[in-house]
Each structure stands twice: as C-alpha cells, then as structure tokens.
Amino acid sequence: MTEYNDKYVEEANYLKEIIDLLNFKLDVETTELDKQKSDLIAARKDMWENTAHYSTDFNKLSDLNQYLTALNSQTFSYTELEKRVEKYKKMIDSPYFSRIDFTEEGFDDTEKIYIGLFNLMDDETHKIKVYDWRAPISSVYYRSELGPVEYKAPSGTIKGNVSLKRQYKISKGKLEYFFDSNVNIVDEILIEALSKKMTPKMKTIVETIQKQQDLIIRDLDNDLLVVQGVAGSGKSSVALHRIAFLLYQGLNLKLNANNVIVISPNTLFSKYISNVLPELGEDNISEYTFENIFMKLFNNKLSIKTKSENFENIICAKTEEEKTFLRTYDVFKGSSVFLEIINRFIIYFGRNLIPFEDVYFNNEVIENRQLLKTFFLNKKINMAPAKKLKIIENRIMEKVKDKKIVRRSKIEKAVNKLDRHEFETKAFTRVLAAKETIDFLNKLHKFTEFSTYDLYKKLFSSKDVFKKISKGLTLPDNIEKIIDYTNKSIADPCNIPYMDGIAMMYMKIKSEGTDSISGIKQVVVDEAQDYYSMHYYVLKNLFKEARFTIVGDINQAAEKNCDISLYNEIISIFNFRKYNKIYLNKSYRNSYEISRFSERFLDKNIDTEYFKRSEEEPQIVYKKSSENLEKKIIEDVAKYKAQGYNSVAIICKSRKEAANLYFRLKRKIDVNLVDYIGEQKITGTIIIPVYLAKGLEFDSVMVYGTNNKNYNTKYDKNLLYIASTRALHRLSYYYTGKVSRFLK
C-alpha cells in the first residue's frame, strides 16, 4: 500500500502541474480572446463607417475588398483561439485518462506518454505534456500490451518497448484513483464507464476504445471499410470517432469538416449523435438522410415519404397479404434487377422516345432530325443523355445566333408596313422577336429537355414496354400488380413512395448527371442492413471521389431478409481495390442478463461475446386488461426513476400504437412521444416506435404490447431483438391476452 501511496503522490503532483499549466493557458488565451473580440468589433465598425455599402465605383469596391480580407483573417484567428479556449476548459475537468512508459529503440530514455482528449504543450520547454488520443503514439495504448511494440508515424514505423500502462480516474481536476494494467482496458474501468446513467446524447468512448475498434478508427489504407457490429458493440460511435481521427489528420489528408458526411437512418438519430464530434473538439459535419438527398437532387420540387413512414405503412397494413406485397414491392424497387431495368430504359428512351424534329428558323432548315439522333446515339460520346441533349441545344442556338439579326430585320420591315406602329417600330419588333424566340425554344425543349419524374412514370406506363426491356431478367411473380400499384402511387409528385424515390434518384443521376453534392471525400453510412442495392448505387454515383465507412448489423434488419452476404454485395457494388471487412462481435451496451435473454430472438449465425456486467433478469409482465397493464407501466416507471434510471423508453411496435398509448398516459405521468413528425425530445420517459429506437440506448426499456398477435412473424422477432437490445440496465415486456410465441 505504501508503494501505491508514493505513486499516488507522484501522480497527484503531475496532475497539479498539468492543471496549473491549463489554468495559466486559459488566463492568457481568455485575455487574448477578449482583446481579439474587441478588435474584431472595432474592425467591423470601421469597415461599416468608412466604406461604401453599395457602389459601382471600382476603387471603392477595392477598398471594401481589402477590409473584408483583413476582417476574414481576424475572424479566422478569433475562431481558432476560441476553439483552443474551449479545449482547455474541457481538459480542466479530466486532462488525461491513461499513460504509457515508452522507450524508443536505440534510445535509453523512457518517456512518460500521458493520453487525453487533446494535445497540451508547455510553450517554454516545447514538451508535449498530454498527447491527443488520435496521435500516432497513442495507438500503442489501445492496441498493445507490455513489451516490444511498434506504431506508424509520419516519419515511418517507430519501434520500442512499453514498460508501463496505467489508467486514471480523474474527475473535476482531482485524481480519484489509478491502476496499472497489462491490457489496454481492464473490466473494472470499462464496467464503470458502461454503468453510468444514460444521457439523451451518444457518449464519447475515447477512454474505452478496444483494439478492434481502434483498427477501424485509425485505418488510412482502405477506400472502403465495411463493419458488421452486433448490437451494443459501439459501431456507430466508432464510426464517429473515425471521423474525428481523420479530421485530426486533416492536413495530411487535405480533409476538413466540409468534406465529410454521415448518412443517418432518420433525423432523430442525427440529433442523437450530434454532440460526439464537438465533444472531441471537431466541428460538426453534415448529416443527411436519403430523403434530404432526394430533396436536394430534385430542387425541392418533388418529395418522398420518409423511410419511417414507409415502414409504418408496412407494419400497420390491415392484412398479412398486404404486408407481404408491400415488402416485395420494396425489395423489387431496391434490387439490382430493377436497377438494370432503369439502365435499359434510359437507353430505350434515347433510341425510341425522344421526339427529334427537323429544326427550322426563318423558314430555313437549321438541323436535320436524323443527324441529331445520330449524334445523340454516338457511343463515343460517353455522358448522361440530358447533357448530350444540352450540347445539341447549344449547338442549334449557336447556329441561330447570327440568323436572329436577319430575322429581326425582316420583322422590322413587316412592322413598318403595319398601321399604328410608326412611332414604336423598334419596341414592337423586339416584342415580336422575343416571342418568336420563346416559341422556338419551347419547340426545341420538346426534345432537348425532359424530367426524370416524367421519365420514371413512362417506365410504367406500358406493361408491354416494361416486359420488353426486362427480357431475360427474373421478375417477381406479381410484377403486374407492382406496375399497377406504382402507377397509382407515383401520381402525386409530393407524396412519392420511399423506394420509388430512391430509384428515381438513381434514374436522375444516370439520365441527367449531377454535381450537386461535390467535394465529399469521406462518407459514413450507418444502419447498413436497412438499405438495398439501389441505395448503394446511388451513393456510389453521387460521391464518386469519396471513401466509405459502412456499418451495420444484419441481426437488426427489420424491413427485409438479410444475411452476411449483404457485405459482399456492398463490396462488389463499390468495387474498390482496397477494402476491409471487420467484425465487432463483443457487445458492451446491455447487462449480461439482458444480452443472454435477447439471444432468443436471433436466428443469424454470428458469434456474440457478452460483457460480464451483471444486473437484474428481464421481466415479462401479464395483465388481464389494458387498464391494469398501463397502471403497472406507470408504477414501474416510478420505480425505475426512484432507482436513478432517468432515461426510460416505452417501446411500441408502431407509431400508431405509440400515439394511442401516449394519449392515454400523458395525463398520468410526465412522458414524451417520439415519432417522425414534429419536435423529437428523447429526454426523460419517452414512448417511441421500435424502428425509431434503432441506434439509441436507454437505462430502462419497457416493450409494450408483446402479445402473440403483435409479435408473431420472423420480422416481428427482429423487432423484439431491436427493442430488447436498447436497454442498458432494466428490460421488461408488457402484454395482455396471449404472450408472443418468442417470449414463451
């Protein structure tokens, strides 16, 4: 114990040294921040008072530009300083969480490497006192045990020896305890981190990153990373920490926050993960859903149902036959077969449906329809049909340009012969010439322009044509019903079915080409199991310069049949030369009892290792009536709150069921309804549909309505797995009638 006390004093002294350094830096930087803020305000005021706000005078505009250049430089400097101050404030509470003692090969001196959220340097000695967790040497802490190690640095591979690995618990600037370890994280500290009560935001995991997770985070070699992670394995968090690592490498990778996007399953999940990067000291990045991308591609002129609405329609369908049809509808629209049909139809459209005409201007033939078609069909010109047609239009307008002068002269002579226009000949000539030009363009646009929405409708307008272009492909047995349903469903451009919207996006990209989302170098896709081939082809064609990190869990596929072959299909679609497929098979979220209980809902052959954090067994609660069941739910919510579990989710199968339960409970307890309409609050006690709960976690989960009617099919079994694996500490199921066959 004396030895520990001596080490404790040594560590406490080092912590004090770091806290003192942070306080000193904060004082200096805060003073400088205030000064820069005053200077910035003064500079803006000076620019306002001493420059023209609007002028056509070039010299005055030049003065304004000089002011703006200086002001932009000041603003950037102020913003960077503000970020440093925020980092120091975060470090004051817990400056670091680990230490390794490292001796580089060929040197005698052993260096103490303290690792925290951010770098901290002593400006006088130029010595790094705390290393950022993303620094190259920090990888040793996450990946290696004591003994010989090596890590990749900008200068090459560094070899050496680790003689000590130490973890710390520091809170509010005070060292609570530390211990030495021969592995990167021992169970005690991980258990403590995972046992904390939930917040309505995703937590950072820098103190508990495991070796396999670190390999994903620091991968710089592969263009595509595909991660299969079981529920609670930290795959979403790892993907976000990977972004933070890549941004830390920004100068080397020529990467900043504007070059990275996350494709989220819904806006609720986007909100849930929104704090992770700021906590890690990085700017937040753009988060898109496929619905957002659709609106962007179609300039807000069309809109599609959300993914959540689409799933709600399926699970609330009146009959099993209707549910089956809606699922097969989505499977077909997302398939590589339908993608090939779209590709063929775009070719068919170019050959048979573009109404090329002879082009006349001023009673003279400008272009021959056959020559136009020959140019369009020239296979050597490899570009989207819409771009080819635009070239044709520009070529015609170029030929017409000189002839417009001759035509205007002819019109003017005709106007002069008319009565009542002798005093306004020029103006009237301009009006007539402009009208002729508009009429000419309208005729031209009949074959040089088209809308993807109309083109998509044409694909289904004739069953004979559809079957003709589908020849040789395997179509669903109910293809005629699918065609009829499509014609009916896509009639309203403001309410297009979700999967038709995804297919329409692909058609637009291939038929029109698009550069609307450019400059993206890294794309992270979450919930990979919920997307079809069509989704991935859209991403591939939309972000052609990007590398991809794609994470998912086939066990959580609720909308379609899914197995491990999904990942091979994704790899095949992107066709990158360098890729890696990684499995995260250890679950950290749930207690051991919840994890083992949730196993009963799994059919997939994926080995899962559970973290040994032991708590209460899940409960199955039966009541004869809905009133008694709801009374029991209210009692249990109060019990969980009394136990300190403030994050409680009552998970329902559908939005409809969730809304009905909410309106019955809201006067009796403080509860929020979370759905895809309106504001989404995930604090306190919430009622939420199961498909929106994906990716989220809660202290306590109460699964409502687990009777055999509600949860009976293989898809329902997956929903039970998703709901059950949201729980960290407490899990219970509530039902009336006959219990679900999966809970017997």
Side-chain angles (χ1 to χ4, degrees):
M1 195 65 187
T2 306
E3 184 182 357
Y4 178 85
N5 290 339
D6 291 342
K7 290 178 180 177
Y8 183 92
V9 171
E10 179 188 334
E11 291 290 0
N13 288 337
Y14 187 80
L15 177 60
K16 183 179 183 305
E17 180 186 339
I18 297 301
I19 297 292
D20 289 345
L21 178 60
L22 282 167
N23 281 321
F24 172 75
K25 281 181 171 285
L26 261 177
D27 287 342
V28 172
E29 301 282 40
T30 303
T31 302
E32 178 61 21
L33 189 67
D34 291 339
K35 180 180 179 300
Q36 285 196 20
K37 184 177 181 180
S38 299
D39 292 345
L40 194 55
I41 292 170
R44 289 177 176 177
K45 183 179 179 182
D46 188 44
M47 183 183 75
W48 178 260
E49 291 175 349
N50 295 298
T51 61
H53 304 150
Y54 173 78
S55 177
T56 56
D57 187 323
F58 179 79
N59 290 327
K60 290 182 179 179
L61 288 175
S62 179
D63 290 343
L64 179 62
N65 188 54
Q66 288 180 1
Y67 268 99
L68 285 172
T69 301
L71 202 58
N72 286 338
S73 177
Q74 277 183 271
T75 303
F76 177 78
S77 176
Y78 175 80
T79 303
E80 291 301 302
L81 182 57
E82 191 176 38
K83 287 179 182 177
R84 286 202 302 275
V85 168
E86 286 304 311
K87 286 180 181 180
Y88 295 149
K89 285 180 179 178
K90 286 177 183 175
M91 290 182 78
I92 284 284
D93 182 61
S94 181
Y96 49 86
F97 50 81
S98 67
R99 162 188 159 188
I100 57 173
D101 286 4
F102 178 74
T103 309
E104 187 176 341
E105 192 176 78
F107 293 85
D108 296 327
D109 294 339
T110 297
E111 187 177 1
K112 296 175 182 177
I113 308 292
Y114 287 83
I115 300 168
L117 269 180
F118 312 112
N119 277 323
L120 179 67
M121 179 183 283
D122 186 328
D123 293 330
E124 289 186 4
T125 62
H126 300 290
K127 184 179 179 181
I128 298 176
K129 308 295 284 186
V130 178
Y131 284 81
D132 192 295
W133 66 278
R134 295 163 291 186
I137 195 169
S138 300
S139 65
V140 173
Y141 163 69
Y142 295 113
R143 297 187 187 182
S144 306
E145 299 182 12
L146 300 184
V149 298
E150 61 179 49
Y151 67 92
K152 289 183 180 179
S155 58
T157 299
I158 306 295
K159 295 182 179 181
N161 187 77
V162 170
S163 54
L164 175 78
K165 294 187 70 173
R166 183 169 287 173
Q167 278 99 32
Y168 303 90
K169 173 63 176 175
I170 300 172
S171 181
K172 297 180 181 178
K174 185 177 184 303
L175 177 61
E176 295 188 4
Y177 61 81
F178 67 87
F179 53 85
D180 297 342
S181 167
N182 190 36
V183 291
N184 59 330
I185 297 292
V186 295
D187 284 356
E188 286 87 344
I189 201 165
L190 188 50
I191 285 173
E192 182 183 354
L194 297 172
S195 297
K196 290 177 182 175
K197 304 300 184 289
M198 261 305 297
T199 67
K201 298 286 186 182
M202 180 182 280
K203 293 179 285 191
T204 60
I205 60 168
V206 288
E207 296 178 43
T208 58
I209 292 170
Q210 304 295 281
K211 181 178 180 179
Q212 197 72 357
Q213 294 172 332
D214 192 64
L215 290 170
I216 298 168
I217 290 169
R218 294 176 189 267
D219 187 293
L220 292 174
D221 297 326
N222 293 290
D223 299 314
L224 171 64
L225 274 183
V226 175
V227 181
Q228 157 60 34
V230 297
S233 60
K235 56 188 175 294
S236 298
S237 190
V238 165
L240 293 172
H241 284 66
R242 171 166 170 75
I243 292 172
F245 172 76
L246 294 173
L247 292 174
Y248 180 78
Q249 301 283 326
L251 288 176
N252 296 329
L253 301 179
K254 297 181 179 176
L255 191 73
N256 60 50
N258 294 327
N259 304 130
V260 185
I261 66 166
V262 172
I263 307 295
S264 293
N266 52 60
T267 54
L268 178 64
F269 188 72
S270 296
K271 183 177 180 181
Y272 179 66
I273 65 175
S274 62
N275 72 303
V276 173
L277 287 172
E279 281 294 313
L280 296 172
E282 299 295 346
D283 294 333
N284 244 331
I285 58 173
S286 297
E287 292 164 25
Y288 286 96
T289 62
F290 272 93
E291 297 93 311
N292 299 145
I293 299 174
F294 178 91
M295 297 294 285
K296 191 176 181 71
L297 280 180
F298 287 95
N299 298 315
N300 297 318
K301 293 176 182 177
L302 304 175
S303 61
I304 61 172
K305 290 180 179 177
T306 65
K307 196 170 188 298
S308 299
E309 284 179 280
N310 187 62
F311 190 57
E312 180 79 13
N313 288 342
I314 293 173
I315 59 178
C316 290
K318 293 179 181 177
T319 65
E320 284 302 319
E321 182 183 0
E322 187 181 352
K323 288 180 183 178
T324 300
F325 170 73
L326 291 174
R327 289 185 192 278
T328 58
Y329 184 88
D330 283 358
V331 169
F332 174 67
K333 291 296 175 70
S335 69
S336 56
V337 170
F338 186 51
L339 181 131
E340 176 59 22
I341 289 171
I342 290 175
N343 289 337
R344 291 182 182 185
F345 184 68
I346 291 171
I347 295 171
Y348 178 86
F349 165 71
R351 289 175 178 170
N352 302 284
L353 300 181
I354 300 176
F356 288 110
E357 295 179 359
D358 294 334
V359 181
Y360 292 87
F361 188 84
N362 197 19
N363 297 321
E364 181 184 346
V365 177
I366 302 299
E367 282 287 0
N368 175 277
R369 62 182 291 274
Q370 195 56 48
L371 291 176
L372 292 177
K373 187 170 184 177
T374 301
F375 171 82
F376 178 83
L377 295 176
N378 187 346
K379 292 182 179 179
K380 292 181 181 179
I381 304 173
N382 185 23
M383 63 177 65
K387 293 189 175 182
K388 281 188 182 181
L389 293 175
K390 183 55 67 175
I391 289 174
I392 288 172
E393 181 182 314
N394 291 339
R395 192 171 75 181
I396 291 170
M397 294 307 294
E398 191 65 31
K399 286 186 176 182
V400 165
K401 187 164 65 175
D402 293 336
K403 298 181 184 298
K404 279 184 178 181
I405 299 169
V406 176
R407 179 60 184 163
R408 181 173 290 189
S409 176
K410 192 173 181 180
I411 293 172
E412 189 172 341
K413 287 177 182 178
V415 169
N416 281 327
K417 293 178 182 179
L418 298 175
D419 295 333
R420 300 186 303 277
H421 292 292
E422 59 272 16
F423 298 112
E424 49 190 43
T425 300
K426 297 288 186 186
F428 193 55
T429 299
R430 280 197 299 273
V431 169
L432 290 177
K435 187 177 182 305
E436 273 199 0
T437 300
I438 291 170
D439 290 341
F440 178 78
L441 277 172
N442 287 338
K443 284 184 179 180
L444 201 58
H445 288 164
K446 286 180 181 178
F447 64 84
T448 62
E449 289 188 353
F450 64 87
S451 105
T452 300
Y453 174 61
D454 290 335
L455 186 61
Y456 191 79
K457 288 200 292 185
K458 278 181 182 177
L459 172 58
F460 296 94
S461 61
S462 167
K463 289 180 183 177
D464 290 337
V465 171
F466 190 94
K467 290 177 180 177
K468 180 180 177 181
I469 62 176
S470 307
K471 189 175 181 181
L473 300 175
T474 303
L475 299 177
D477 294 336
N478 61 348
I479 188 61
E480 295 211 1
K481 186 178 179 181
I482 288 175
I483 292 172
D484 291 337
Y485 187 84
T486 303
N487 281 319
K488 181 181 175 182
S489 301
I490 63 176
D492 181 0
C494 296
N495 199 28
I496 297 166
Y498 174 74
M499 282 309 303
D500 285 295
I502 304 304
M504 219 175 276
M505 288 166 67
Y506 177 77
M507 179 179 273
K508 184 177 181 68
I509 292 167
K510 298 303 285 186
S511 64
E512 296 185 39
T514 179
D515 302 315
S516 61
I517 307 179
S518 58
I520 301 301
K521 297 179 181 178
Q522 290 284 344
V523 177
V524 171
V525 182
D526 207 343
E527 302 294 348
Q529 73 282 349
D530 288 342
Y531 299 124
Y532 294 91
S533 299
M534 192 71 75
H535 288 92
Y536 291 110
Y537 276 106
V538 167
L539 294 177
K540 176 185 178 180
N541 286 280
L542 203 55
F543 305 108
K544 292 182 178 179
E545 299 173 358
R547 292 180 165 192
F548 286 80
T549 303
I550 297 176
V551 301
D553 178 14
I554 59 169
N555 290 325
Q556 297 184 61
E559 301 173 42
K560 60 188 177 78
N561 289 322
C562 188
D563 59 37
I564 209 72
S565 65
L566 166 72
Y567 301 115
N568 292 331
E569 184 182 5
I570 291 171
I571 290 167
S572 175
I573 288 170
F574 284 98
N575 196 30
F576 284 117
R577 189 172 62 86
K578 291 184 176 181
Y579 65 87
N580 196 9
K581 184 166 55 175
I582 300 174
Y583 294 85
L584 297 177
N585 289 343
K586 189 166 185 177
S587 177
Y588 300 98
R589 176 188 295 138
N590 320 117
S591 69
Y592 181 72
E593 290 75 15
I594 290 172
S595 295
R596 290 307 300 250
F597 190 91
S598 302
E599 267 190 337
R600 67 178 61 197
F601 308 122
L602 290 181
D603 293 325
K604 309 294 188 300
N605 187 24
I606 292 182
D607 292 330
T608 304
E609 184 182 350
Y610 299 122
F611 194 72
K612 297 292 179 68
R613 176 170 58 84
S614 195
E615 298 199 43
E616 287 185 9
E617 290 283 350
Q619 303 296 310
I620 301 174
V621 179
Y622 164 76
K623 295 293 177 183
K624 285 187 177 181
S625 68
S626 297
E627 291 79 9
N628 288 337
L629 194 68
E630 288 160 19
K631 185 178 178 182
K632 175 62 174 169
I633 287 172
I634 291 169
E635 289 174 3
D636 286 351
V637 167
K639 180 180 74 174
Y640 292 143
K641 295 279 187 182
Q643 292 173 348
Y645 300 126
N646 293 318
S647 167
V648 179
I650 304 170
I651 297 182
C652 297
K653 185 177 180 182
S654 66
R655 176 182 179 269
K656 182 180 179 182
E657 185 179 71
N660 289 337
L661 182 62
Y662 168 73
F663 287 115
R664 294 198 300 272
L665 293 185
K666 69 173 185 174
R667 290 178 186 151
K668 301 172 184 176
I669 56 172
D670 183 15
V671 64
N672 292 317
L673 174 65
V674 176
D675 65 11
Y676 50 80
I677 299 173
E679 190 176 355
Q680 299 164 325
K681 293 182 179 179
I682 49 177
T683 56
T685 303
I686 66 168
I687 301 177
I688 185 171
V690 61
Y691 51 83
L692 282 183
K694 274 188 177 186
L696 310 183
E697 55 186 38
F698 308 93
D699 292 332
S700 306
V701 165
M702 311 165 80
V703 189
Y704 177 79
T706 52
N707 55 66
N708 203 46
K709 184 180 178 182
N710 228 9
Y711 292 96
N712 187 266
T713 70
K714 61 181 179 180
Y715 297 106
D716 298 333
K717 194 177 182 183
N718 282 4
L719 293 179
L720 282 174
Y721 177 74
I722 293 166
S724 302
T725 52
R726 303 307 97 201
L728 280 84
H729 307 291
R730 298 289 183 269
L731 173 63
S732 45
Y733 305 86
Y734 299 81
Y735 75 100
T736 58
K738 187 178 179 183
V739 71
S740 167
R741 64 192 180 98
F742 305 122
L743 285 171
K744 284 182 179 178

